Amino acid sequence: MTPHLARRTADIQPFHVMELLRRARELEAQGRDIIHMEVGEPDFATPQPMIDAATRFLAGGDVHYTAALGLPQLREAIARFYHERFGADVAPERIIVTPGASGALMLALAATTDPGDEWLLPDPGYPSNRHLVRSFEGVPRALPVGAATRYQPTPDQVADAWTARTRGLIVASPSNPTGTLLDQAELAALRATVIARQGTLIVDEIYQGLTYGVEASTVLKSMDDVFVVNSFSKYFGMTGWRLGWLVAPQAYVREIEKLAQHFFISPSTPAQHAALAAFAPATIEILEARRNEFALRRDTLLPALRELGFVVAAEPQGAFYIYADIARLADDSEALAHRLIEEAGVAATPGLDFGDNQPRRHLRIAYTNRCERLLEAAERIARMRG
Amino acid sequence: MTPHLARRTADIQPFHVMELLRRARELEAQGRDIIHMEVGEPDFATPQPMIDAATRFLAGGDVHYTAALGLPQLREAIARFYHERFGADVAPERIIVTPGASGALMLALAATTDPGDEWLLPDPGYPSNRHLVRSFEGVPRALPVGAATRYQPTPDQVADAWTARTRGLIVASPSNPTGTLLDQAELAALRATVIARQGTLIVDEIYQGLTYGVEASTVLKSMDDVFVVNSFSKYFGMTGWRLGWLVAPQAYVREIEKLAQHFFISPSTPAQHAALAAFAPATIEILEARRNEFALRRDTLLPALRELGFVVAAEPQGAFYIYADIARLADDSEALAHRLIEEAGVAATPGLDFGDNQPRRHLRIAYTNRCERLLEAAERIARMRG
Ligand SMILES: Cc1ncc(COP(=O)(O)O)c(C=O)c1O
Ligand SMILES: Cc1ncc(COP(=O)(O)O)c(C=O)c1O
């Protein structure tokens, strides 16, 4: 049987790292010890207060659909969090609870993108963005970004790349794969550039809260005409629960509600009840301790990698990734990733997953492991080269 | 701020019943007792063995992403269920675990639908189908179906409606809103008509297991070149968990995996662990008791409605819906639904939500309430008319 595939499928790439992960699992099945530094999720468990909240809720057994936009009390809790933690005033009505930031991105793109509309996407960047744009028949346009601008696009670059078909710009702060930030002034300048062109700005704040040496912040402090994507996945340690949110400009909410009804019916009910405990002081205390631990890991791994010959020109200030130039070590990051896994038992993600901008020269290394393991990984890599 | 909306949003309707639900909540807040017969979900709690499985899993705290296609052991459990319960042999590799049947429909449509491709959809039918087709830039084409064909399309009707742009046909058995079935011979004839035209058949079996006086079955017993959509929502009582599955023809699986990675990353991990207990004998025993209860409710409500003047020409054999012609009672089902809620405290769903085929003449009434409540609803309606 020849499948009758939609044309979009030809443009959609898998996560290449999955191949590597498969190989890692094979080696583990053979008894090899693999240090996982390829994974895009915290190694921590979901904080106990959230587990407890979900367990208490489940004991009742009534796990029904909620409103498509999410439980009103969760939307209010998120609004309170914006106010208390960041001093940002966001009406609960503008907060749409979604199945992860993934669901939030889908809704924002489906609501705004006509066939042929172009979105500007920094490259390297989170791979799903370009595939979601393509899925709704938009056209992803890469903005190559490098260490000189801390892997973030500049207003001039956006202005130069803008065409009559450009619909908007997606940025992430902190960014995946580079861990670099945009400050409020940079965000304001990007917004001005986009808005002046009647475009739409989407700011992905999924790694909000995971910043080191810099206070966490939100673009919502000063802007209410941008889309903000967020999630309980990363800072809150809830990847597997599939829960995130979208903050939409008020004028879009009703349209997005319709899409949410048909795409998802509603977000996961147990996850929403767990998330109601996400902002409790006891939870935040756990999360802030983890944040300190991540900072320590970054400060442990970064010098160790530099010692090995990896070049990290733009210091990562957030998320849990180091995006390293491997030119001094190898020609091709994919081949290097395979050598690392076979010879050193270390898994990392080749640049290929993040775009077309010198992907073979870069590797993303996640510090989602205890410091001892990070140092052991560095030692194993050192031995491999010798 | 004028929103810059994608054109698709103009074609996407909300669930109209939500307006009614809002009114119901207002009345309830004023102390009125509302009998809810508008809801598309079982009133039962999630069976205890599944709650227990999820709770045990959560105690470990490690709630991470799973593989995009779902936990291998869950895919195998679903395959075993097909074999043992229905005598259908389905390779686990073809089973894609999704965020509800909603997620399964999205994946099947995104993988197969190019802009302008037409899908034939029985009308009345599940509203999200046409909106999901539209979301991926396909064109929904209604096939008006009536009581004479038990609200299911016939091969001749499909053949007549087929054009050069037709991509395929979506049917549901049991159907929402009518509760009517397609038997294996009818499904085989529809499949032959579709396949002869190089089209794709999607069979939505989300109400599988909820049939009364007829054995539950699956189209997968005799066909492996159709898409089958299913879910843990209805028979398994897991609506709020957001978990379902898609069975795809083998040649599509790899492409759908890529889409699933970017749309969803992975399905809910706690839900997948709960679902691992879905096929245990203790669970099935609970579910079969509920099925008997639903049968009893249907047999209670159907004559009571007929007594009131509602006409139900095609006997519902599955799901938990009665799709009633209201012509003897009122001119307009939407106005009637409002009168029912205001004057009788009974909530039901006007035909408007299910398409354009005489919607104002029909009401969907769900028997997701205990028999006493169903009879009370009938009494209240009788008093209202008097
Ligand atoms: C930048 C970025 N955005 C969005 C997501 C989606 O995450 P989720 O759907 O789990 O919230 C990820 C996940 O890795 C990410 O790195
Ligand atoms: C016919 C039909 N298909 C699909 C769905 C989607 O359900 P879920 O996403 O909860 O599995 C529904 C829900 O009511 C339905 O009635």
Side-chain angles (χ1 to χ4, degrees):
Chain A
M1 178 193 181
T2 320
H4 186 134
L5 290 164
R7 284 188 296 274
R8 65 172 66 83
T9 59
D11 298 328
I12 289 175
Q13 261 105 58
F15 286 125
H16 293 99
V17 70
M18 290 299 159
E19 272 314 300
L20 240 104
L21 200 56
R22 231 162 265 169
R23 182 64 188 143
R25 296 248 163 83
E26 265 174 43
L27 291 172
E28 283 170 331
Q30 294 164 21
R32 281 280 297 280
D33 171 53
I34 306 290
I35 304 180
H36 287 279
M37 303 171 80
E38 83 289 12
V39 211
E41 60 180 331
D43 49 321
F44 299 114
T46 300
Q48 198 59 42
M50 290 194 261
I51 298 283
D52 292 343
T55 306
R56 267 195 313 273
F57 168 71
L58 288 179
D62 280 317
V63 190
H64 293 285
Y65 295 130
T66 69
L69 299 183
L71 292 170
Q73 62 269 41
L74 180 56
R75 299 167 70 197
E76 279 156 24
I78 295 170
R80 259 196 318 275
F81 182 67
Y82 274 121
H83 180 77
E84 288 166 11
R85 176 89 171 244
F86 304 111
D89 285 312
V90 182
E93 294 71 39
R94 292 176 49 209
I95 298 170
I96 295 153
V97 182
T98 57
S102 305
L105 283 161
M106 290 189 92
L107 290 177
L109 290 170
T112 58
T113 309
D114 276 318
D117 282 0
E118 301 178 358
W119 281 92
L120 301 177
L121 310 173
D123 179 354
Y126 180 58
S128 296
N129 291 344
R130 62 182 193 280
H131 300 307
L132 292 177
V133 166
R134 179 66 186 92
S135 293
F136 293 106
E137 295 298 321
V139 180
R141 292 281 178 224
L143 287 181
V145 289
T149 62
R150 295 182 346 278
Y151 297 103
Q152 296 285 2
T154 62
D156 282 350
Q157 191 182 14
V158 171
D160 286 346
W162 205 276
T163 74
R165 291 313 309 264
T166 306
R167 185 65 193 85
L169 167 71
I170 306 182
V171 294
S173 175
S175 138
N176 176 4
T178 64
T180 55
L181 312 185
L182 285 162
D183 65 27
Q184 292 288 327
E186 289 167 325
L187 283 163
L190 287 170
R191 174 195 162 275
T193 308
V194 169
I195 297 283
R197 288 161 181 77
Q198 274 84 51
T200 296
L201 178 62
I202 300 179
V203 183
D204 183 341
E205 298 190 336
I206 185 173
Y207 294 100
Q208 185 184 51
L210 294 173
T211 51
Y212 317 116
V214 191
E215 266 315 293
S217 188
T218 174
V219 72
L220 293 164
K221 264 173 91 154
S222 54
M223 302 171 207
D224 60 8
D225 54 3
V226 303
F227 286 85
V228 172
V229 165
N230 210 323
S231 178
F232 290 98
S233 285
K234 313 288 174 161
Y235 175 69
F236 296 98
M238 290 185 70
T239 47
W241 298 81
R242 313 309 303 118
L243 200 72
W245 71 88
L246 176 68
V247 182
Q250 187 64 55
Y252 287 88
V253 172
R254 184 69 194 109
E255 295 301 315
I256 289 179
E257 180 175 18
K258 297 188 309 186
L259 291 168
Q261 289 174 343
H262 302 297
F263 286 14
F264 310 126
I265 301 187
S266 60
S268 160
T269 307
Q272 291 187 77
H273 282 272
L276 283 171
F279 310 113
T283 309
I284 298 292
E285 198 177 308
I286 296 167
L287 298 176
E288 287 297 299
R290 291 179 179 182
R291 177 188 188 175
N292 290 336
E293 165 72 15
F294 274 129
L296 195 66
R297 292 174 179 186
R298 183 197 59 169
D299 296 341
T300 303
L301 184 62
L302 191 53
L305 289 178
R306 283 175 167 156
E307 186 83 11
L308 288 166
F310 291 93
V311 173
V312 185
E315 202 97 341
Q317 297 177 288
F320 32 67
Y321 306 118
I322 293 172
Y323 191 66
D325 182 330
I326 57 120
R328 292 197 197 153
L329 299 166
D331 289 339
D332 174 5
S333 60
E334 196 182 19
L336 178 63
H338 278 101
R339 270 195 70 202
L340 285 174
I341 203 164
E342 299 292 338
E343 299 176 29
V346 171
T349 307
L352 272 183
D353 265 343
F354 307 103
D356 298 322
N357 178 15
Q358 301 196 289
R360 299 205 170 267
R361 200 173 159 149
H362 295 90
L363 210 56
R364 187 193 74 178
I365 304 161
Y367 40 96
T368 46
N369 263 293
R370 286 173 292 118
C371 285
E372 310 91 87
R373 292 285 277 172
L374 300 177
L375 290 173
E376 189 184 330
E379 270 168 41
R380 289 196 201 168
I381 297 172
R383 278 203 301 274
M384 180 186 99
R385 295 180 56 227
Chain B
M1 178 192 183
T2 318
H4 186 134
L5 291 164
R7 283 187 296 272
R8 66 172 65 83
T9 58
D11 298 329
I12 289 175
Q13 261 105 58
F15 286 124
H16 293 101
V17 70
M18 290 299 158
E19 271 315 301
L20 240 103
L21 199 56
R22 230 162 268 168
R23 183 63 188 144
R25 296 249 163 81
E26 265 174 42
L27 292 171
E28 282 171 331
Q30 294 164 21
R32 281 280 297 278
D33 171 52
I34 306 290
I35 305 180
H36 286 278
M37 303 173 80
E38 83 289 11
V39 212
E41 59 180 332
D43 49 321
F44 299 114
T46 300
Q48 198 59 41
M50 290 193 261
I51 298 283
D52 292 344
T55 305
R56 269 195 312 275
F57 168 72
L58 287 180
D62 280 317
V63 191
H64 293 286
Y65 295 129
T66 69
L69 298 184
L71 291 170
Q73 62 269 41
L74 180 57
R75 299 167 70 197
E76 279 156 24
I78 295 170
R80 261 197 316 276
F81 181 67
Y82 274 121
H83 180 76
E84 289 167 10
R85 174 92 171 240
F86 304 111
D89 285 312
V90 182
E93 293 71 37
R94 291 175 51 209
I95 297 169
I96 295 152
V97 183
T98 57
S102 306
L105 283 161
M106 289 189 93
L107 290 176
L109 291 170
T112 57
T113 308
D114 276 318
D117 281 1
E118 300 177 357
W119 281 91
L120 302 178
L121 310 174
D123 178 352
Y126 180 58
S128 297
N129 291 344
R130 62 182 193 280
H131 299 306
L132 293 177
V133 166
R134 179 66 186 91
S135 293
F136 294 107
E137 295 298 322
V139 180
R141 291 280 177 226
L143 288 181
V145 290
T149 63
R150 298 186 338 282
Y151 297 102
Q152 295 285 1
T154 63
D156 282 349
Q157 191 182 16
V158 170
D160 286 347
W162 205 275
T163 75
R165 289 314 308 267
T166 306
R167 185 64 192 84
L169 167 70
I170 306 182
V171 294
S173 176
S175 136
N176 175 5
T178 65
T180 56
L181 312 184
L182 285 162
D183 66 27
Q184 292 288 325
E186 290 167 324
L187 283 163
L190 286 171
R191 173 194 161 276
T193 307
V194 169
I195 298 284
R197 288 161 181 79
Q198 274 84 53
T200 296
L201 177 62
I202 300 179
V203 183
D204 183 341
E205 299 190 336
I206 184 172
Y207 295 99
Q208 185 185 50
L210 294 173
T211 52
Y212 318 116
V214 191
E215 267 313 294
S217 188
T218 173
V219 72
L220 293 164
K221 264 174 92 155
S222 55
M223 304 170 206
D224 60 7
D225 53 4
V226 303
F227 285 85
V228 172
V229 165
N230 210 324
S231 178
F232 289 98
S233 285
K234 312 288 172 159
Y235 176 68
F236 296 99
M238 290 183 70
T239 46
W241 298 82
R242 313 309 304 120
L243 200 72
W245 71 89
L246 175 68
V247 182
Q250 186 64 55
Y252 288 88
V253 173
R254 184 71 193 105
E255 296 301 316
I256 289 179
E257 180 175 16
K258 295 188 309 186
L259 291 169
Q261 289 174 343
H262 302 298
F263 285 14
F264 310 126
I265 302 188
S266 60
S268 160
T269 307
Q272 291 187 76
H273 282 272
L276 283 170
F279 310 114
T283 309
I284 298 290
E285 199 177 307
I286 295 167
L287 299 176
E288 287 298 299
R290 291 178 180 183
R291 178 189 186 173
N292 291 336
E293 164 73 15
F294 274 128
L296 195 66
R297 293 175 180 184
R298 184 199 58 169
D299 296 342
T300 304
L301 183 62
L302 192 53
L305 290 178
R306 284 177 167 155
E307 186 81 10
L308 289 166
F310 290 94
V311 172
V312 185
E315 202 98 341
Q317 298 178 289
F320 31 68
Y321 306 118
I322 293 172
Y323 191 65
D325 182 329
I326 57 119
R328 291 198 199 151
L329 300 167
D331 290 338
D332 174 5
S333 60
E334 197 182 19
L336 178 62
H338 278 101
R339 269 196 69 201
L340 285 174
I341 203 164
E342 300 292 340
E343 298 176 28
V346 170
T349 307
L352 272 183
D353 265 343
F354 307 104
D356 298 321
N357 179 16
Q358 301 195 288
R360 299 204 170 267
R361 199 175 159 145
H362 294 90
L363 210 55
R364 188 192 74 178
I365 303 161
Y367 39 96
T368 46
N369 263 294
R370 284 173 293 118
C371 286
E372 309 91 88
R373 293 285 277 172
L374 300 177
L375 290 173
E376 189 183 331
E379 269 167 44
R380 290 196 200 167
I381 297 172
R383 276 203 301 275
M384 178 186 101
R385 293 181 55 227

